[in-house]
Amino acid sequence: MAKEGIDDLRRYKLDKTENNKEASVLHRYQPTSVDTTKEGEEALPSSALTHWAKTKWYNIRVGDVIKLERDEAVPADVVLLNSQGPNGVAYIETMALDGETNLKSKQTTHSLAKRCDTTEKVAACNAHFVVEDPNLDLYNFEGRVTVDGETCPLTNNEIIYRGSVLRNTSEAVGMVIYTGEECKIRMNANKNPRIKAPSLQAIVNKVVVVIVLFVIFLAIFNTVAYQVWAHQVEHKSWYISNARVAFFPIFVSFIIMFNTMIPLSLYVSMEIIKLAQMFLLNDIDMYDETTNTPFEARTSTINEELGQVRKISVAGTACLHDVDLNGDEDKNHLIHKKRSKKSKGKKPLQPKKSFGSRSVTDRAEPQRRNSEILLEDSMEPSRMSTSNWQSTARPTRNQIELRTSGLIRFIQRRPFTVFARKARMLLLSIALCHTCLPETHDDGKIDFQASSPDELALVRAAQELGYLVIDRDTGVLTIQTTPNGPDSEPVFENYEIMDVIEFSSKRKRMSVIVRFPDQRICVICKGADSLVMQLLKLSSLANQKVAEIEKRASVRKSLEAQEAIRRKSEQKERYSMNRPSISLSLGRTSIGGLARNSMSRPSVSRPSISGTKLQPIRDEVDTWLRERERDVEVTSFEDQTAYYTPRPSTTNIGNGRSSVAMSEARSSIATDFDDDLVDDALAVDENTVVERCFQHIHDFATEGLRTLLYGYRFLDEQEYWEWKKVYLDATTSLVDRQEMIERAGELIEHDFELGGATAIEDKLQKGVPEAIDKLRRANIKMWMLTGDKRETAINIGYSCRLIKDYSIVTVLDHESGHVEESIAATIVEINKGVVAHSVIVVDGQTLTMIDSDPFVQSLFFDLAILADSVICCRASPSQKAGLVKTIRRKIKKSVTLAIGDGANDIAMIQEAHVGIGITGKEGLQAARSSDYSIAQFRFLVKLLLVHGRWNYIRTCKYTIGTFWKEFLFYLTQALYQRWAGYTGTSLYESWSLSMFNTLFTSLPVIFLGIFERDLQPATLLAVPELYTKGQRNGGFNLVLYLGWMFMSSSEAMLIFFCMFGLFGQVNFTQDNDLFAMGDLTFTACIMLINIKMQLIEMHSKSAVVPLSLVLSVGGWYLWNIVLSATYHNNVIYHVKGAFFTQFGRNPAWWATLVLVVIAAVILELGVASLRAAFRPNDVDLFQELEQDLQIRKRFEEAAASELRQGWDRGTKRSSAEIEREEEERRREGEVQDLLNRPRVMEEGRAEGGVGRRAEEGRVVGEEMEPRKSAEIHEMLSRRFGSVRSEL
C-alpha cells in the first residue's frame, strides 16, 4: 500500500508540473509589470488597456483569449482568431493527440480574420460563439460564430485542440472554448483506470482457497479421529480420565495447528521479491545513450505479466519511427530518403554480419572489398543517404544501388546527354514542386519549414543532389546549384512560382506552374503513382508495363506464400504427431518443434553433450536458427538485372575488374565507370525507361516506401493565360470552390512527360523490424493502432515487417460497403489454411460502424484474433482503449500489452494488462502513466523475452516452492497425530514453530524468486520460442502443482517415518522424547528445503547460495543453541540443555538426520532425472546446449544486437571474449614457460656443416648468450598475448 501511495504521489507531482505551465492570456484594464513587447515595437505603458499576462494553465477559463508562440503547446481547446502564418494559416502538430506526423493547417473564418488581425481588434471584437457539447470525436466539430450579424460555420479547420503544438508559425491567437476535463484529449482519456493485478495472482488465490478447504478437511478428519480414539482408548485409560475435550474446541485447535499451511507469508514475501525484481530490471542493454534515458519501472505488481504477453498493441507509428519537423541539423539522419531516377541503377549491397562488438568475416569478403573499391569516390557528400541503403522490409534482398556522387559526377561531366537532361529535370522538379519555406540561421545554415516530413525529406534530397532552395519570396523561388562541381562558384537561378494547385486527399497530387529563367512556362506535378500514371502522355504504355510487373510479382508472391504455408503445416503436423523435426544426434530430442508451443519429447535417455561428437549438433542448431532468422523469400524472379540496371555492363562490376590495384588505378577506374554509368541508347528508349521506372516503384512499394511519381509539361503563353482565367474564377468562387479548383486543375494536368519517381522511407527506430520478428517468433501478435492515414499506416506496416510481401491484406472500409461479407470471407479463408500471412486494416470510422452492430463486432474480433496482425488507422484515443479492452475481455487467458509515447495513448496504456510508455518526442505523458518506460521500441525484446520470462519463472518457482515447503512441513504434524491420539499435540516446540517461515525458510525461496535465471540471456534472445512457456502457464499450473504436492507428501512421509522408525521407536537411545523427535524432523525439513531451493531448483548458482545456506541452516543451529541455553518453560518440551547434553550428544540422532536428508535428496534427484530423461522440456534441452562453448557463441551471435551495449559499456562479457582471454592467458603461459626453460650451448659443430642443438641440458657459460630455439622464435612471431619479440 505504501508503495502504491508513493507511485500516486509521484504522478501527482508530475500532473502538478503540467498544470503549472504558463500561457499568455489577454487582459484589459489591468496593469502589468511584465514587458511582453517584441524588439522593435513601442512599449505600452503599464496602465495600457490591453496586455498579455502570464497565467498558469489551471487558471485558464472558457472565453479567455490566449496567444501561442512557435513550438508552444496548446493549453486548452481553442478556436483560432488570427495567425501570423502565410495567408493567416497556422500549422499544428497533433502527434500527441492522434499520432499523425503530418502538420495540419488551421485557418480562421473570413469574418474573424478581418476583425481580429491585431490585439486591439481582438479585445474590441464582439463575437458570439455557439459550440457543440463536449464529446469524444476528434475528427468532427460543429459550431458557429456570429460577428456583426454575419454568421459563419465552425469546423475542425478552425479548432485547435489541447495536446497540439504550434509549428512553423511565429504566432497565433485563439479563444478558449473547452478547458480541463471537457477538452477532447481528456474526454478520450480513461477517467477510472482499473487496478492492475497479475493473472498469476488469481491462480494463486484459487490454490489458497483449495488449501483452506484442505486445512478445514484435515481439521475435521483429525477431530473425528479424536472422537473415535477417545471412545476406544481414552475412556479406558485411567491416567487421562476426565481429560476429554469437546468437538468444537478440538476442531479449533486443529485449525490453529494447521493454519500456517495457508501461506499468508507468501503475499508479504512476494512484495519483497517483486520489489527486488523491479530494481534488477535496470539493465544497461535497455539504456539509450543518445537521449541518456534508462529503463524505468513504475510498478512492481505485474512483473511476471511481462513473461506472459500474447498481444501487443502499438500505439501510433510515432513509437516505431523518428520524425523531426523542426529541422534540427543534428537530427537530419532521422529522415531517410531514397530516389529512383528512371533508369538509374542501385549498388549491390553486401551486408556485414556482426558478432557482439566484433565483425564476423564473411566468405565473400574479398569480393566485397574489390567491388567496393570500384565505387569509392574521393568526393564524399555530406550524408550518403543512398550509398548503403538496406530495406527494412526485406533485408536479405540484394539492393542494386549506385552512389549518389556517381550520378552527380556523371551529370557534371556529360551534361548534354539525354539521361543527364532528364535527371536534372527530375532534380529540378523535386526542388520546385513543394510548399516548404527556407529559413537562414545566424550561422548561415539553411533549414526548411514543412507541413510534412515527406516534403522536408524531398527538399533535403534536392539539396544533397545539388539543388538548394535558399529563398522563397513573393512567388519567386531561388535555387543554388553547382553545375561545375562542389568546389566551383555556385549559380543562383530564380524561378517564378506562378500558381500552386495544392494537394488534397481527393486529388492525391499537387502541381506548380513555374516560369523558368529562360521564360518558359512549365507545369510540374507530383502525386500518387497510380493517379499520375494516368496523366502521362505514355499512359497506355505505363499501364501495360505495370501489368507485366504485377504479373511477375504475383508469381513470386504465390511461391513465397506456398513456402510459408508449407512451414506452417509442417509445424502443425509435428505438434499433432508429437515428433521431432530434426534429430540432434546422440539420441537427443529435436529443437525444431520450438516453433510450436512446446518441443517434442525424446524417446531415449539424454547423454552428455561434451566431446568431439558435438559438431553435428552444432551444425543442426545453426541450421535451425538460420531457418527461423530468415523469412520466406523467393528471389529468382528478382535476379533479372535487365529490369534494374542502367546498362548491361554494370552487372559485371566487381567480377571483371576485381583484380585491379587499390591505389593508383582507383581514380581511373572510377572515372571510366562514371563515364559509362548510363547507356544513352537506353535513356532514349521510352519503353525501357517506363518499364524500369515502374519496376522501381513496385519494388519501393513492396519495401514499405511511400512513392511519388513526377510529371511535367511545358506550356505556351496563350494556353497558360486561358487556363489562368478559369483557375482565378475557381479560387474566388463562393460556391463549391474546392470542386471548381479540382476541375480547373484537371484542365492543365494531362499529357505529362515522365519526370521520374521518388520513394521516402519512414526512418524506423533502430532494430524495430528485427524486434517485431523476434516478438512474432515468440508467438506474440502485434496490433498497430495509429491516427495516421491508411496509406501511411500500411507503408509503416511493410517497413517494420508487420506486413509481409506475400501477406493477404484485408482492408475493411465502410465507404466501399460489404464489411460483414469481407470479414466472413476472410475468416473462412484463414480457417481453410490457404492464407500464409493475414493482415487486417481498418479505419476509425469503419470501426465505429462495426461497434454499432454487436453481431458484426463479434465477427470482427473473431477475425482479429485469427489474423497475424491488425492495423487500425485514424483511430481516436477512446477507440484504441476500447480495442484493447475488448481483446482483454475476449481472450481471458491472454495477457495484453500496450505501448505508446503520447498523451493520446494514456487510455490504452491504462486499459491493457501491461502498459509501457516510450520517452519520445511527444513528451513524457505516456511514460508518466505507464507501468514501465523505455526509450526505444527495440528494448521491448529484452524486457519481455529475458527479464519478463525470468520474472515469471522466478515468481512461479517462489510460489510453488512456498506451497511445497508449507505442505512438507505441516504434513509431518498431521502424520504425528496418529501417535498422539489426535489430541492436537504439536510435534514442534512453539517458539521454533513460529519462526519457521520468518527465520529459517524465507531466504531460500526469496533468493530463488529474486536471482533465479534458468537460461542465459543470449539463449532466450536467440530462441524467442522459449518465451511461450509463460503464455502456456508452464511455470505454474494444476499439473505442476499436483506434482510438487505429491513430492512434498512423499518427502514428508519419508522424513517422518524414517525419523520415527530409526530414532523415535528405538530403545537404546538416550533421549527420544517429543522435543528430540520434533527437532530432528524440523532440522531435516529445513535442510531439505534449503538444499532443494538453492542447489536443485536454482540453476544460476552465485554467492547468494552459500549465503542462504549459512544464514538459514546455520541460523537454525544457532537458534537451537540459544533456545537450549535460555529456555525456561521446560514442562511439555524438554528444551533446556537438550541440545548440549541430551540428543545433541546422541550419535543416533545425527545419523538419523543424515540418513533422512540423504534419502530425501536422492528421491528428489531421482525423480528429476527420470523426468528429464523421459519427459524433458525446453529448458532441459537448452540448459544442456548452453554447456557447449560453440553453441553458446552461436546463441550470442544471434542475440548480439540486444546484448552488444552490455558487452561494450558494462561489465558483461560474451563467451567469445572469455574464450579469447583464456586462450591468450594459456598461450602467454606457454611462451613464458619456453622463455624460462634452461638452454644449452652447442656441443659441437661439424666442419662446414650446421651445428646440432641439444633439446635438453644445462647452460655451460653465463658469459655467452644462449641460442634461442626455433620453437621460441615461432611462438614469439605469432605475438600471443602480451608477449612480444624484442629481437
Side-chain angles (χ1 to χ4, degrees):
M1 186 179 296
K3 179 173 62 66
E4 297 294 336
I6 294 174
D7 292 340
D8 290 341
L9 178 61
R10 180 172 53 193
R11 292 190 180 99
Y12 165 76
K13 290 181 178 179
L14 294 174
D15 292 341
K16 191 174 182 180
T17 302
E18 180 85 6
N19 292 327
N20 280 320
K21 291 182 179 179
E22 293 183 340
S24 299
V25 177
L26 181 63
H27 284 190
R28 297 187 65 185
Y29 305 111
Q30 294 181 9
T32 179
S33 59
V34 179
D35 185 10
T36 60
T37 60
K38 297 182 179 179
E39 184 178 355
E41 293 183 356
E42 184 179 355
L44 295 175
S46 60
S47 59
L49 295 179
T50 61
H51 68 273
W52 296 101
K54 292 295 183 181
T55 304
K56 296 186 182 299
W57 280 18
Y58 66 84
N59 285 327
I60 294 177
R61 299 291 183 264
V62 173
D64 287 348
V65 176
I66 62 174
K67 180 174 66 175
L68 302 173
E69 297 182 353
R70 184 173 178 174
D71 298 331
E72 185 177 353
V74 182
D77 292 355
V78 302
V79 57
L80 185 63
L81 299 180
N82 69 63
S83 170
Q84 299 300 321
N87 300 322
V89 175
Y91 291 99
I92 303 299
E93 177 188 293
T94 60
M95 189 185 300
L97 191 66
D98 56 15
E100 189 168 355
T101 56
N102 291 338
L103 299 184
K104 294 182 175 63
S105 60
K106 303 289 184 178
Q107 190 172 16
T108 187
T109 63
H110 66 276
S111 61
L112 287 174
K114 59 186 178 182
R115 294 177 175 86
C116 300
D117 53 348
T118 64
T119 303
E120 290 74 15
K121 288 184 178 181
V122 170
C125 180
N126 185 15
H128 180 250
F129 292 88
V130 178
V131 297
E132 63 185 1
D133 291 336
N135 58 71
L136 303 174
D137 194 353
L138 288 171
Y139 303 104
N140 297 289
F141 185 86
E142 294 181 358
R144 67 177 184 271
V145 56
T146 303
V147 186
D148 298 335
E150 182 181 358
T151 301
C152 294
L154 291 178
T155 64
N156 238 20
N157 187 53
E158 295 85 25
I159 307 301
I160 304 176
Y161 297 123
R162 177 180 177 178
S164 306
V165 179
L166 185 67
R167 300 289 191 194
N168 297 348
T169 307
S170 60
E171 186 179 291
V173 176
M175 191 194 76
V176 176
I177 56 176
Y178 302 122
T179 61
E181 294 299 317
E182 293 183 348
C183 293
K184 294 280 188 178
I185 192 171
R186 291 301 305 158
M187 294 292 292
N188 279 273
N190 190 1
K191 302 298 180 59
N192 299 301
R194 67 186 188 91
I195 299 175
K196 297 184 179 182
S199 55
L200 183 63
Q201 181 175 322
I203 302 175
V204 171
N205 292 340
K206 293 178 182 178
V207 173
V208 170
V209 172
V210 173
I211 294 176
V212 170
L213 296 177
F214 178 76
V215 168
I216 295 174
F217 167 77
L218 200 60
I220 294 174
F221 173 82
N222 280 274
T223 303
V224 173
Y226 168 72
Q227 301 299 328
V228 175
W229 179 83
H231 178 72
Q232 295 179 353
V233 178
E234 188 179 39
H235 74 278
K236 299 179 181 178
S237 303
W238 58 268
Y239 55 90
I240 52 175
S241 59
N242 299 324
R244 184 176 178 85
V245 183
F247 180 89
F248 185 76
I250 195 70
F251 173 75
V252 173
S253 66
F254 281 118
I255 291 291
I256 295 173
M257 174 181 289
F258 298 124
N259 80 90
T260 44
M261 189 181 293
I262 303 170
L264 299 179
S265 61
L266 180 143
Y267 295 97
V268 179
S269 301
M270 183 81 76
E271 291 300 321
I272 299 174
I273 288 173
K274 290 185 176 183
L275 192 62
Q277 290 175 356
M278 184 178 72
F279 288 111
L280 292 178
L281 286 173
N282 293 299
D283 193 335
I284 191 173
D285 289 323
M286 296 189 292
Y287 165 75
D288 185 37
E289 184 178 6
T290 305
T291 60
N292 191 27
T293 306
F295 169 86
E296 185 175 358
R298 290 178 169 80
T299 182
S300 61
T301 306
I302 53 176
N303 289 344
E304 64 270 27
E305 297 272 82
L306 294 171
Q308 298 179 277
V309 175
R310 281 182 179 267
K311 304 283 184 183
I312 293 181
S313 298
V314 182
T317 56
C319 63
L320 292 180
H321 63 93
D322 290 311
V323 294
D324 185 15
L325 298 176
N326 296 329
D328 296 338
E329 193 65 28
D330 59 342
K331 297 179 182 177
N332 284 349
H333 65 280
L334 297 179
I335 301 180
H336 184 88
K337 280 88 64 186
K338 184 172 181 181
R339 283 83 67 180
S340 170
K341 279 79 178 179
K342 290 188 280 194
S343 58
K344 173 182 177 293
K346 297 184 292 176
K347 172 185 170 184
L349 286 185
Q350 299 286 348
K352 294 182 180 180
K353 297 182 290 184
S354 62
F355 176 74
S357 59
R358 302 158 299 282
S359 62
V360 177
T361 305
D362 191 28
R363 295 179 180 176
E365 185 73 23
Q367 297 180 2
R368 178 165 67 250
R369 285 200 195 96
N370 292 332
S371 64
E372 287 178 353
I373 290 169
L374 300 176
L375 300 175
E376 284 184 1
D377 182 58
S378 58
M379 33 177 313
E380 292 292 334
S382 60
R383 178 161 55 94
M384 298 298 297
S385 62
T386 63
S387 58
N388 288 314
W389 185 83
Q390 185 178 15
S391 169
T392 58
R394 307 176 67 189
T396 58
R397 177 188 171 196
N398 289 334
Q399 300 293 332
I400 309 171
E401 185 177 351
L402 300 177
R403 287 183 180 269
T404 303
S405 57
L407 170 69
I408 299 174
R409 190 167 49 245
F410 178 85
I411 295 174
Q412 292 170 351
R413 291 176 178 172
R414 306 185 64 179
F416 302 108
T417 61
V418 176
F419 177 80
R421 290 199 299 268
K422 291 186 175 182
R424 281 201 306 271
M425 189 62 201
L426 173 61
L427 299 179
L428 193 59
S429 300
I430 296 174
L432 293 174
C433 191
H434 60 82
T435 58
C436 297
L437 298 175
E439 287 184 339
T440 303
H441 297 282
D442 296 337
D443 56 1
K445 293 183 179 180
I446 296 178
D447 208 345
F448 302 94
Q449 295 182 20
S451 60
S452 73
D454 288 8
E455 283 212 328
L456 184 61
L458 290 171
V459 174
R460 286 179 175 171
Q463 175 184 352
E464 287 186 1
L465 292 167
Y467 286 74
L468 172 61
V469 179
I470 62 173
D471 189 25
R472 186 169 194 153
D473 185 26
T474 62
V476 177
L477 194 146
T478 305
I479 295 180
Q480 172 188 319
T481 61
T482 53
N484 300 321
D487 298 329
S488 62
E489 286 293 326
V491 176
F492 299 94
E493 297 177 336
N494 293 326
Y495 294 83
E496 181 184 354
I497 308 298
M498 304 177 71
D499 294 287
V500 177
I501 309 175
E502 295 186 353
F503 176 90
S504 68
S505 58
K506 184 177 180 180
R507 282 168 39 83
K508 294 187 177 180
R509 63 185 183 274
M510 75 165 290
S511 298
V512 294
I513 293 131
V514 184
R515 187 181 292 276
F516 280 32
D518 58 3
Q519 300 305 309
R520 291 186 301 168
I521 299 176
C522 181
V523 53
I524 302 173
C525 179
K526 73 174 180 182
D529 54 272
S530 60
L531 289 177
V532 178
M533 179 179 66
Q534 306 304 326
L535 305 177
L536 296 177
K537 182 189 297 184
L538 301 175
S539 59
S540 58
L541 176 62
N543 288 322
Q544 176 188 347
K545 294 301 180 182
V546 167
E548 294 175 359
I549 293 169
E550 290 179 351
K551 183 178 179 180
R552 291 196 301 266
S554 64
V555 175
R556 172 182 54 79
K557 291 179 181 180
S558 63
L559 293 176
E560 292 179 350
Q562 291 175 11
E563 176 64 18
I565 293 173
R566 184 190 63 81
R567 287 189 182 183
K568 278 188 175 182
S569 61
E570 285 184 356
Q571 293 170 6
K572 291 180 180 179
E573 181 182 359
R574 292 177 191 126
Y575 178 69
S576 60
M577 298 179 63
N578 198 25
R579 65 178 176 86
S581 61
I582 57 175
S583 57
L584 292 181
S585 50
L586 300 176
R588 284 312 313 268
T589 185
S590 161
I591 63 174
L594 277 176
R596 308 182 303 270
N597 286 341
S598 176
M599 291 188 301
S600 303
R601 301 290 185 256
S603 57
V604 293
S605 60
R606 52 171 200 168
S608 172
I609 66 169
S610 59
T612 58
K613 297 181 180 180
L614 273 179
Q615 194 56 43
I617 298 180
R618 295 167 183 161
D619 295 339
E620 215 157 354
V621 169
D622 181 68
T623 303
W624 187 89
L625 285 176
R626 289 183 184 277
E627 181 183 352
R628 277 146 185 83
E629 290 169 350
R630 296 176 179 175
D631 195 13
V632 177
E633 187 167 359
V634 179
T635 58
S636 59
F637 288 91
E638 295 189 1
D639 292 336
Q640 305 174 23
T641 54
Y643 301 114
Y644 296 92
T645 56
R647 55 179 296 113
S649 61
T650 56
T651 60
N652 298 323
I653 295 174
N655 296 328
R657 303 183 184 180
S658 60
S659 61
V660 184
M662 290 185 294
S663 55
E664 294 89 3
R666 177 185 302 178
S667 60
S668 61
I669 291 175
T671 303
D672 296 338
F673 175 67
D674 290 338
D675 291 340
D676 296 335
L677 179 66
V678 177
D679 189 348
D680 269 350
L682 295 179
V684 176
D685 186 0
E686 296 292 347
N687 185 73
T688 304
V689 169
V690 171
E691 181 178 35
R692 298 188 183 183
C693 180
F694 283 96
Q695 180 68 57
H696 280 293
I697 290 176
H698 180 271
D699 294 342
F700 293 154
T702 301
E703 292 162 356
L705 309 184
R706 289 197 295 278
T707 58
L708 290 174
L709 191 62
Y710 282 79
Y712 65 93
R713 182 169 69 93
F714 287 97
L715 310 174
D716 54 36
E717 292 284 344
Q718 181 180 357
E719 181 183 4
Y720 169 71
W721 288 111
E722 290 177 354
W723 173 85
K724 177 68 175 180
K725 182 180 179 180
V726 177
Y727 183 69
L728 184 61
D729 293 339
T731 55
T732 57
S733 174
L734 299 179
V735 180
D736 299 331
R737 178 184 299 176
Q738 188 62 35
E739 290 78 5
M740 294 180 66
I741 291 176
E742 293 176 0
R743 287 196 296 268
E746 293 173 356
L747 295 177
I748 201 171
E749 294 171 338
H750 60 84
D751 294 334
F752 287 132
E753 297 288 341
L754 176 60
T758 62
I760 302 175
E761 179 192 26
D762 283 287
K763 183 61 178 177
L764 302 177
Q765 290 182 8
K766 180 182 177 182
V768 168
E770 294 79 9
I772 291 178
D773 277 345
K774 287 195 173 183
L775 294 173
R776 181 184 290 111
R777 287 176 58 192
N779 195 32
I780 298 175
K781 291 189 176 182
M782 302 284 294
W783 286 43
M784 187 169 73
L785 313 178
T786 176
D788 277 333
K789 59 185 179 180
R790 181 185 299 153
E791 292 78 7
T792 303
I794 292 176
N795 288 334
I796 293 294
Y798 276 107
S799 298
C800 65
R801 301 181 204 166
L802 276 178
I803 306 177
K804 305 291 186 181
D805 191 24
Y806 53 85
S807 298
I808 301 299
V809 181
T810 303
V811 179
L812 303 178
D813 189 357
H814 71 287
E815 294 182 355
S816 62
H818 309 291
V819 173
E820 182 179 348
E821 291 81 356
S822 300
I823 295 174
T826 307
I827 291 176
V828 172
E829 293 295 319
I830 295 176
N831 289 331
K832 284 182 179 178
V834 296
V835 178
H837 188 268
S838 58
V839 179
I840 310 301
V841 180
V842 61
D843 61 89
Q845 293 183 352
T846 304
L847 196 60
T848 302
M849 186 270 291
I850 291 174
D851 291 338
S852 63
D853 189 337
F855 174 75
V856 179
Q857 184 187 36
S858 177
L859 203 63
F860 168 73
F861 282 104
D862 289 340
L863 172 61
I865 293 169
L866 290 174
D868 294 283
S869 298
V870 177
I871 297 177
C872 184
C873 52
R874 293 292 186 184
S876 65
S878 58
Q879 285 180 320
K880 295 178 184 179
L883 283 172
V884 174
K885 182 178 181 179
T886 305
I887 288 296
R888 176 171 55 83
R889 292 182 175 179
K890 189 86 174 178
I891 313 175
K892 296 185 181 299
K893 294 185 179 180
S894 67
V895 175
T896 59
L897 182 146
I899 178 170
D901 60 347
N904 59 317
D905 305 327
I906 292 176
M908 181 185 67
I909 287 174
Q910 292 175 340
E911 198 62 56
H913 290 99
V914 181
I916 295 183
I918 294 181
T919 54
K921 294 181 179 178
E922 292 190 33
L924 300 175
Q925 295 96 327
R928 291 170 182 171
S929 302
S930 64
D931 304 309
Y932 308 93
S933 64
I934 55 179
Q936 295 285 322
F937 181 85
R938 70 179 188 272
F939 297 155
L940 189 63
V941 175
K942 190 169 187 184
L943 178 62
L944 297 185
L945 302 188
V946 178
H947 293 287
R949 188 183 182 280
W950 278 349
N951 288 337
Y952 172 73
I953 296 298
R954 290 164 177 168
T955 305
C956 289
K957 283 194 172 184
Y958 162 77
T959 303
I960 202 167
T962 301
F963 288 140
W964 171 83
K965 73 180 182 70
E966 301 293 339
F967 207 78
L968 167 73
F969 184 73
Y970 288 101
L971 197 58
T972 56
Q973 282 270 48
L975 292 173
Y976 173 69
Q977 297 307 309
R978 168 67 179 83
W979 285 266
Y982 302 100
T983 56
T985 303
S986 175
L987 178 62
Y988 307 119
E989 188 270 330
S990 58
W991 282 101
S992 302
L993 186 63
S994 62
M995 296 293 114
F996 172 77
N997 283 318
T998 306
L999 297 182
F1000 311 127
T1001 60
S1002 59
L1003 286 182
V1005 289
I1006 288 177
F1007 283 176
L1008 179 67
I1010 295 176
F1011 300 107
E1012 166 63 347
R1013 299 194 305 174
D1014 59 339
L1015 291 170
Q1016 294 298 318
T1019 306
L1020 296 173
L1021 292 169
V1023 190
E1025 292 83 359
L1026 291 166
Y1027 184 79
T1028 59
K1029 183 172 184 178
Q1031 298 171 345
R1032 295 179 283 110
N1033 293 322
F1036 187 85
N1037 51 55
L1038 179 61
V1039 175
L1040 198 63
Y1041 173 76
L1042 293 178
W1044 277 66
M1045 293 306 102
F1046 171 78
M1047 289 300 299
S1048 65
S1049 303
S1050 303
E1051 289 158 354
M1053 289 187 288
L1054 176 66
I1055 291 173
F1056 178 79
F1057 288 112
C1058 286
M1059 176 278 299
F1060 197 72
L1062 297 178
F1063 180 77
Q1065 291 184 327
V1066 296
N1067 297 322
F1068 54 84
T1069 58
Q1070 298 177 2
D1071 181 14
N1072 59 351
D1073 63 358
L1074 180 59
F1075 179 68
M1077 291 190 297
D1079 202 74
L1080 192 153
T1081 308
F1082 205 117
T1083 306
C1085 289
I1086 288 177
M1087 295 184 68
L1088 177 61
I1089 290 168
N1090 279 270
I1091 291 173
K1092 179 177 173 64
M1093 295 293 105
Q1094 294 296 299
L1095 298 179
I1096 299 177
E1097 291 298 326
M1098 183 174 282
H1099 178 69
S1100 55
K1101 306 294 191 299
S1102 62
V1104 299
V1105 173
L1107 179 64
S1108 172
L1109 293 174
V1110 169
L1111 292 179
S1112 298
V1113 180
W1116 165 245
Y1117 284 111
L1118 179 62
W1119 173 266
N1120 272 279
I1121 294 174
V1122 172
L1123 200 65
S1124 181
T1126 60
Y1127 202 84
H1128 298 291
N1129 187 12
N1130 215 33
V1131 179
I1132 301 177
Y1133 302 96
H1134 298 168
V1135 180
K1136 184 70 174 181
F1139 189 70
F1140 297 116
T1141 61
Q1142 300 298 323
F1143 67 84
R1145 295 178 176 270
N1146 190 349
W1149 190 90
W1150 292 100
T1152 304
L1153 175 64
V1154 173
L1155 289 175
V1156 168
V1157 173
I1158 291 176
V1161 171
I1162 290 175
L1163 177 62
E1164 276 285 346
L1165 295 176
V1167 173
S1169 300
L1170 290 174
R1171 184 203 56 78
F1174 293 101
R1175 293 188 61 84
N1177 54 31
D1178 306 350
V1179 177
D1180 298 326
L1181 173 63
F1182 280 92
Q1183 283 179 350
E1184 193 167 342
L1185 290 175
E1186 283 180 345
Q1187 297 175 17
D1188 181 65
L1189 178 62
Q1190 298 302 320
I1191 295 178
R1192 195 162 63 247
K1193 287 168 61 178
R1194 178 64 181 91
F1195 288 157
E1196 290 174 352
E1197 179 184 352
S1201 59
E1202 290 84 8
L1203 299 176
R1204 182 180 292 114
Q1205 188 161 269
W1207 294 338
D1208 294 344
R1209 295 175 55 86
T1211 58
K1212 305 175 184 177
R1213 294 185 301 169
S1214 66
S1215 298
E1217 291 174 325
I1218 297 173
E1219 181 189 28
R1220 186 172 66 249
E1221 292 174 2
E1222 293 178 351
E1223 183 69 13
E1224 288 182 356
R1225 285 195 297 267
R1226 184 182 65 81
R1227 289 176 175 174
E1228 286 178 11
E1230 291 179 358
V1231 173
Q1232 201 62 46
D1233 290 343
L1234 290 172
L1235 292 174
N1236 294 335
R1237 259 174 35 183
R1239 300 169 180 80
V1240 296
M1241 294 288 295
E1242 296 178 346
E1243 293 184 356
R1245 186 187 302 271
E1247 187 175 354
V1250 181
R1252 294 183 295 107
R1253 184 177 318 186
E1255 294 182 356
E1256 296 180 2
R1258 59 186 179 85
V1259 179
V1260 179
E1262 297 179 358
E1263 70 278 7
M1264 299 185 65
E1265 182 181 358
R1267 291 176 58 89
K1268 295 180 173 58
S1269 66
E1271 185 179 7
I1272 296 177
H1273 279 292
E1274 180 183 356
M1275 296 296 291
L1276 289 175
S1277 65
R1278 293 167 64 185
R1279 294 175 178 268
F1280 290 130
S1282 60
V1283 180
R1284 299 290 184 270
S1285 175
E1286 298 179 357
L1287 297 178

